[in-house]
C-alpha cells in the first residue's frame, strides 16, 4: 500500500509539472513573443481557462503527501519553509497578474503586471528545478527526521549542502529551458500569425539548449547520488524510463524542426513525464534522502501513516482522481484549438 501512495504522489506531481509547466513556459516566453496588446491578450487567453485548474494538482499532491507520509510532509515543509513561502508568493503574484492587468486601461499598469507575470513564471521554474535537485541529492536529516538547509555553502554537494550548489543550479537551468520549450510549443499550438511564428522560434531555440542539459543531468546523477542506480541495476526494466525520455527528446527535436506544434507539445509532455518517473524510480523507496547518514533517510516505510488510514483512503482517492481527470480532459477539450482573435473578453475565463 505504501508503494501505491508513493506512485500516487509521483503521478500527481508529474501531471502538475506537465500542465502548470506549460503555463510557466508561456509566462517565460511572453515578453519575447507577444509584442502588441492584442498578442499579449491572445497569449494570456491561451492559458486563461485552465491555469487555475492546473494548480489544483499541486495542492492535491501536497494533501496526498500529508495523508500518506505525514512525517515526510512535516520534515519537508519545515526544512524547505522559505522556499515554499517563495513559491506561494510567486503563485499568487502570477495569478494576480493574469487577473488584474486588464482592470485599469493604462499602459504602465499593464506593463507592471506583465513583468510580474513573466518574472514569477521564470522564478517558479527555477525554484521547482532547484527543489527537484535537492530531493535527488538529499538533505541533512538529523536523528529526529528534520533538517535545515542554508541557501548556499560551498556550492558542492556533500553532508551539509546548501539549497544551491552546482547540481541544483544545473537542475534549475534545465527546468527553465525545458519549460520554455514546453510553453513555446503550447503557445504555438494555440495561436496564429506572427505570435505563433515567434513562439515557434523561441521553442525551437530552447529545444537546442534542452538536449545537452538533459544529457548533462543524466550523466551527473550517478556522481551526485550514487544510490540512484541501485534500483535500475536491480530491476533493469526501469532503464526504459530514461530511454523513453531520450526518445521523447529526439522526437521533440524532429517535430520542432518540422513545426508540428501539437506533436512537439506531446513530445515535451512525454519527456517531462518520463524524466520525473525515472527520478521516482531511482529514489524509491526514499522520499527524503539523508546526506548525513543513509539510515536516517525518510522512506515510504518509516514515514508512512497507519495501514488502516492508507487502506481507508484508497477508494476515496480513486474516485477523486477519476473525477479530476475527467474534468481536466473535458475543460481542455472544450477550449481546444487556436485562440479566437475576435473575442472581446480576452483573457477572461
Amino acid at each position: 500500500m505504501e508503494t501505491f501512495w508513493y506512485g500516487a504522489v509521483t503521478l500527481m506531481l508529474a501531471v502538475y509539472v506537465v500542465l502548470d509547466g506549460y503555463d510557466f513556459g508561456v509566462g517565460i516566453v511572453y515578453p519575447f513573443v507577444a509584442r502588441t496588446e492584442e498578442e499579449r491578450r491572445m497569449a494570456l487567453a491561451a492559458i486563461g481557462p485552465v491555469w487555475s485548474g492546473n494548480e489544483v494538482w499541486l495542492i492535491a499532491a501536497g494533501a496526498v503527501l500529508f495523508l500518506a507520509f505525514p512525517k515526510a510532509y512535516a520534515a519537508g515543509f519545515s526544512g524547505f519553509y522559505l522556499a515554499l513561502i517563495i513559491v506561494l508568493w510567486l503563485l499568487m503574484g502570477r495569478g494576480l497578474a493574469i487577473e488584474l492587468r486588464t482592470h485599469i486601461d493604462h499602459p504602465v499598469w499593464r506593463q507592471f503586471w506583465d513583468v510580474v507575470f513573466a518574472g514569477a513564471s521564470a522564478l517558479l521554474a527555477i525554484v521547482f528545478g532547484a527543489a527537484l535537485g535537492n530531493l535527488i541529492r538529499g538533505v541533512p536529516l538529523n536523528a529526529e527526521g528534520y533538517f535545515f538547509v542554508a541557501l548556499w555553502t560551498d556550492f558542492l554537494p556533500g553532508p551539509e549542502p546548501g539549497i544551491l550548489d552546482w547540481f541544483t543550479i544545473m537542475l534549475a537551468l534545465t527546468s527553465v529551458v525545458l519549460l520554455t520549450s514546453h510553453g513555446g510549443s503550447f503557445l504555438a499550438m494555440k495561436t496564429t500569425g506572427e505570435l505563433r511564428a515567434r513562439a515557434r522560434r523561441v521553442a525551437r531555440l530552447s529545444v537546442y539548449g534542452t538536449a545537452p542539459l538533459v544529457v548533462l543531468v543524466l550523466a551527473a546523477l550517478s556522481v551526485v547520488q550514487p544510490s540512484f542506480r541501485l534500483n535500475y541495476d536491480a530491476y533493469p526494466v526501469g532503464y526504459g524510463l530514461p530511454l523513453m525520455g531520450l526518445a521523447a527528446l529526439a522526437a521533440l527535436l524532429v517535430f520542432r524542426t518540422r513545426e508540428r506544434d501539437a506533436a512537439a507539445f506531446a513530445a515535451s509532455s512525454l519527456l517531462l513525464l518520463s524524466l520525473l518517473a525515472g527520478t521516482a524510480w531511482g529514489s524509491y523507496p526514499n522520499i527524503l534522502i539523508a546526506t548525513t547518514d543513509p539510515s536516517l533517510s525518510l522512506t515510504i516505510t518509516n514515514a508512512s501513516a497507519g495501514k488502516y488510514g492508507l487502506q481507508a483512503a484508497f477508494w476515496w482517492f480513486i474516485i477523486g482522481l477519476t473525477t479530476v481527470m475527467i474534468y481536466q480532459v473535458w475543460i481542455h477539450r472544450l477550449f481546444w484549438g487556436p485562440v479566437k482573435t475576435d473575442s472581446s473578453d480576452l483573457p477572461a475565463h
Side-chain angles (χ1 to χ4, degrees):
M1 186 58 70
E2 290 87 354
T3 299
F4 168 82
W5 288 106
Y6 179 85
V9 173
T10 300
L11 173 64
M12 299 181 80
L13 288 174
V15 172
Y16 170 73
V17 170
V18 170
L19 294 182
D20 219 23
Y22 69 69
D23 293 345
F24 297 161
V26 169
I28 294 169
V29 305
Y30 180 78
F32 307 102
V33 301
R35 298 179 181 176
T36 67
E37 179 59 22
E38 181 183 11
E39 289 176 345
R40 296 186 189 101
R41 288 162 62 89
M42 286 178 63
L44 293 173
I47 62 172
V50 295
W51 70 267
S52 56
N54 291 341
E55 292 181 350
V56 171
W57 287 96
L58 180 62
I59 300 171
V64 172
L65 180 64
F66 174 72
L67 164 73
F69 307 108
K71 191 172 182 180
Y73 176 93
F77 272 64
S78 62
F80 292 124
Y81 183 78
L82 176 60
L84 290 167
I85 292 298
I86 292 173
V87 167
L88 180 62
W89 279 102
L90 290 174
L91 288 172
M92 288 193 298
R94 192 173 65 104
L96 287 172
I98 295 173
E99 297 291 349
L100 296 181
R101 75 177 301 276
T102 57
H103 282 208
I104 297 178
D105 187 17
H106 193 282
V108 174
W109 175 266
R110 291 194 298 268
Q111 289 169 10
F112 170 77
W113 289 114
D114 286 343
V115 171
V116 172
F117 174 60
S121 299
L123 287 173
L124 280 165
I126 292 171
V127 171
F128 283 130
L132 179 61
N134 277 264
L135 292 177
I136 295 173
R137 180 207 62 204
V139 293
L141 286 163
N142 59 26
E144 287 73 38
Y146 291 94
F147 66 95
F148 170 78
V149 185
L151 185 58
W152 68 78
T153 53
D154 55 2
F155 286 97
L156 294 174
E160 296 292 336
I163 292 177
L164 299 177
D165 57 36
W166 67 263
F167 179 70
T168 59
I169 291 174
M170 181 192 296
L171 262 293
L173 178 60
T174 303
S175 174
V176 172
V177 177
L178 261 173
L179 295 185
T180 299
S181 170
H182 193 51
S185 294
F186 178 81
L187 193 59
M189 183 176 67
K190 294 287 292 182
T191 56
T192 57
E194 285 298 314
L195 177 57
R196 181 184 192 182
R198 295 190 203 104
R200 282 175 167 174
R201 285 196 294 270
V202 172
R204 185 168 60 252
L205 289 173
S206 59
V207 168
Y208 296 149
T210 296
L213 284 171
V214 168
V215 172
L216 282 173
V217 169
L218 292 176
L221 283 177
S222 59
V223 176
V224 173
Q225 189 52 261
S227 64
F228 200 80
R229 289 188 56 185
L230 295 178
N231 285 338
Y232 285 94
D233 293 338
Y235 305 99
V237 66
Y239 282 106
L241 294 171
L243 290 176
M244 184 186 302
L246 292 175
L249 179 59
L252 177 58
L253 287 166
V254 172
F255 291 142
R256 196 64 277 157
T257 302
R258 297 180 180 179
E259 296 188 343
R260 296 178 57 184
D261 302 314
F265 178 72
S268 65
S269 299
L270 180 60
L271 174 60
L272 290 168
L273 288 172
S274 58
L275 291 177
L276 292 170
T279 300
W281 185 280
S283 299
Y284 180 86
N286 298 301
I287 302 174
L288 284 174
I289 300 172
T291 58
T292 49
D293 182 352
S295 65
L296 299 178
S297 298
L298 293 178
T299 68
I300 63 171
T301 303
N302 62 22
S304 70
K307 184 176 181 181
Y308 174 78
L310 297 181
Q311 292 177 339
F314 174 79
W315 291 110
W316 290 109
F317 171 77
I318 296 298
I319 293 171
L321 180 65
T322 303
T323 303
V324 171
M325 291 182 70
I326 291 173
Y327 170 77
Q328 288 276 299
V329 171
W330 176 76
I331 199 71
H332 281 82
R333 182 69 183 87
L334 183 64
F335 292 96
W336 187 256
V339 175
K340 300 293 189 301
T341 58
D342 56 351
S343 177
S344 60
D345 59 348
L346 298 180
H349 303 292

